[in-house]
Amino acid sequence: MNIIFALLIAFMARAEIREAPSMVDALADIRPGDVVVFDIDNTLLETPQVLGSDQWYTANVAALVKSGLSEDQAGAIALKQWDQVQRITRVRTVEKITPHLVRSLQRLGVMTFALTARPVQLIETTLQQLDSQGIYFSSHGYRFHPAPDLRLRHGIIFIGINYYKGPVLNQFFAAQGLKPRRVIFIDDKIANVQSVESALAAAGIPSLEFRYGAADHEVQAYRADLAEVEWTYFLRHGGLISDTQAAQKLRGKVQSP
Ligand SMILES: [Mg+2]
């Protein structure tokens, strides 16, 4: 009987994973008492050039693994390079309307958080980047620092690449004694969406997960050749060039004898 009851609760709490082509789609059905949790990269923010983008990081890891490194080694190197670029790059929001939507939620009294795979070393940089786009979260007085590499700052939970988002989110809610009426989670990566969906369902927290797709076209159009030119420039000059400038350099190379 207990098992049937537990299954029934799990079924009732079971969340749905949906596709959201835009932020408006993901936030269309917000109700009072909802808690909204945003991913950052390719959900709230993106870089204007391929260097420093999430897709650059992913491609970098894949290339390093192909060259013979382990997943861990490759991840560590790619993260270090990504970190270097984050410290100097400008960012923009994936959609222009996003900062306005986040503020509207907050005005309605909806609690908002961000949950990111960015490491704790990037806390200050991340706060500056979000500030440059007028996006703010509030810690609501909560404290969460269960491990050196896991930390809440200004409403943003930084988990790095050693944890899964779902279990950390549960741990965070449990640590604060928070029992959200419903969680809305928005992330461009299906693995994160599934992680949060199954963790919250197991904890009996009703939720609605969205796989956010507004940056998909840029991920699909990723050009390793441009990233290579931009990375070489960065190493030589410590600065960034645009994709257009990188493309011009590439064309120049092809044309020169
Ligand atoms: Mg992301």
Side-chain angles (χ1 to χ4, degrees):
M1 193 61 185
N2 275 343
I3 290 171
I4 291 170
F5 187 67
L7 281 174
L8 187 67
I9 294 285
F11 178 72
M12 282 162 59
R14 203 180 153 70
E16 268 178 78
I17 294 176
R18 300 179 179 191
E19 276 286 319
S22 75
M23 201 54 88
V24 169
D25 294 306
L27 300 174
D29 181 35
I30 296 293
R31 302 176 206 147
D34 283 343
V35 171
V36 182
V37 182
F38 297 92
D39 166 48
I40 294 182
D41 292 290
N42 279 352
T43 297
L44 295 175
L45 301 181
E46 64 182 15
T47 53
Q49 72 290 324
V50 292
L51 203 73
S53 67
D54 195 60
Q55 47 274 26
W56 173 59
Y57 168 81
T58 307
N60 232 348
V61 173
L64 289 164
V65 167
K66 212 174 163 190
S67 78
L69 296 186
S70 71
E71 285 274 350
D72 283 356
Q73 291 168 324
I77 292 172
L79 188 61
K80 200 172 161 209
Q81 296 181 348
W82 195 80
D83 180 311
Q84 282 177 276
V85 176
Q86 290 316 307
R87 287 167 196 276
I88 62 159
T89 186
R90 285 186 304 113
V91 292
R92 63 188 181 202
T93 52
V94 175
E95 288 180 83
K96 271 212 170 70
I97 197 172
T98 300
H100 169 74
L101 291 174
V102 174
R103 281 195 296 273
S104 303
L105 291 176
Q106 291 162 344
R107 271 198 293 270
L108 287 171
V110 171
M111 214 181 248
T112 52
F113 295 101
L115 177 59
T116 178
R118 289 179 174 219
V120 292
Q121 303 91 272
L122 275 175
I123 286 178
E124 296 308 324
T125 301
T126 303
L127 292 174
Q128 283 162 15
Q129 289 181 348
L130 288 167
D131 178 65
S132 77
Q133 300 304 305
I135 298 176
Y136 305 94
F137 299 99
S138 157
S139 295
H140 303 281
Y142 297 137
R143 284 172 184 277
F144 184 66
H145 194 185
D149 54 352
L150 206 55
R151 178 167 199 175
L152 173 81
R153 271 290 300 279
H154 294 288
I156 305 156
I157 307 168
F158 293 84
I159 72 168
I161 54 174
N162 298 322
Y163 299 91
Y164 291 106
K165 287 193 173 180
V168 171
L169 191 57
N170 267 348
Q171 194 187 347
F172 169 68
F173 287 145
Q176 313 307 327
L178 257 178
K179 290 200 177 64
R181 215 173 291 170
R182 187 174 67 158
V183 172
I184 310 292
F185 178 72
I186 305 160
D187 196 304
D188 63 292
K189 295 236 172 80
I190 188 70
N192 293 332
V193 167
Q194 285 165 344
S195 168
V196 168
E197 189 271 339
S198 59
L200 293 182
I205 299 172
S207 66
L208 197 55
E209 281 78 13
F210 288 97
R211 215 291 304 170
Y212 175 74
D216 288 359
H217 60 284
E218 283 165 55
V219 174
Q220 283 148 14
Y222 174 74
R223 282 185 55 183
D225 57 346
L226 296 184
E228 187 62 40
V229 172
E230 292 171 21
W231 179 242
T232 305
Y233 184 91
F234 174 77
L235 289 180
R236 256 184 225 155
H237 307 284
L240 297 171
I241 52 171
S242 68
D243 289 351
T244 309
Q245 287 170 310
Q248 278 164 357
K249 279 182 182 287
L250 266 181
R251 276 198 296 276
K253 234 187 240 169
V254 172
Q255 279 159 11
S256 62

